[in-house]
Amino acid sequence: MRPIRTASLGVATTLLALLACAPLASAATTGTGSAHEDGKGNDQGNDKGNDKGQVITLTGRLAEQSRFPVNPGGAAAQGDRTVFRSLLFDKDGNQVGETGGTCTTTRVDNGGAEACVVTYSLPGGQIAAQGMVFGHLVPGPPPAFDNAITGGTGKYDRARGSIHAETIGTGTRRFTLDIER
């Protein structure tokens, strides 16, 4: 029973670690080509929500991270977990929330793979996300990834969509949340 528990815990840890390391998207989008932007990387006010959706860009700064390896001091292994928490900032540098989660290593060959579960706590509610991150064992900055928005609370109730995360500095990621309702 321990391997199953460890694997589940590891997946959550990996997701959190990935999200924690990824900067949150700033209040203004960063020119992702979204229909919500004016072509100059400026959000068109859709962060208040509507029936069609919204795009939120944040910068995330890693605040805490703990690793729980299956083989302490040894090679990466299936079931390794990472738990993380990051602070989220808007385009003006104001803290607007935090994110936390877990990621679990599911594969160690070909650069590795992690399954992650993450929650973004923002004014007015929370957004739940999950997905895979590939290449986390490759030396260098953490890879970019896309995860699914699986739901939410408050003003994000019934949210769906995707989150794109890209590393922009050590312990810093840009998150672009493309929320559909």
Side-chain angles (χ1 to χ4, degrees):
M1 194 88 151
R2 176 164 166 64
I4 292 174
R5 253 189 330 202
T6 301
S8 296
L9 190 51
V11 171
T13 302
T14 301
L15 180 56
L16 290 178
L18 291 174
L19 293 179
C21 292
L24 300 178
S26 65
T29 59
T30 57
T32 60
S34 165
H36 302 289
E37 296 178 38
D38 66 3
K40 298 175 186 170
N42 296 317
D43 190 313
Q44 291 297 296
N46 290 318
D47 62 336
K48 304 214 183 337
N50 59 40
D51 290 339
K52 295 180 182 179
Q54 68 186 105
V55 173
I56 301 172
T57 301
L58 302 167
T59 298
R61 293 187 193 125
L62 184 63
E64 297 178 78
Q65 181 175 18
S66 297
R67 298 180 188 279
F68 301 93
V70 170
N71 302 315
Q78 188 178 41
D80 286 352
R81 293 180 299 123
T82 302
V83 178
F84 64 91
R85 179 176 76 93
S86 293
L87 302 178
L88 300 174
F89 298 88
D90 66 15
K91 67 178 178 177
D92 297 321
N94 299 310
Q95 184 179 342
V96 295
E98 66 178 72
T99 186
T102 62
C103 294
T104 301
T105 298
T106 59
R107 183 183 77 209
V108 296
D109 62 344
N110 297 320
E114 298 179 299
C116 301
V117 176
V118 180
T119 301
Y120 295 79
S121 295
L122 300 168
Q126 298 178 1
I127 297 172
Q130 69 180 46
M132 298 292 294
V133 177
F134 299 97
H136 72 286
L137 297 176
V138 175
F145 61 90
D146 295 290
N147 284 167
I149 294 173
T150 58
T153 64
K155 74 183 214 176
Y156 305 107
D157 184 39
R158 299 183 190 165
R160 293 290 184 260
S162 63
I163 298 174
H164 177 75
E166 59 185 306
T167 300
I168 58 173
T170 302
T172 306
R173 287 192 175 177
R174 177 178 302 117
F175 295 104
T176 303
L177 291 72
D178 191 351
I179 304 166
E180 301 169 8
R181 304 237 167 104

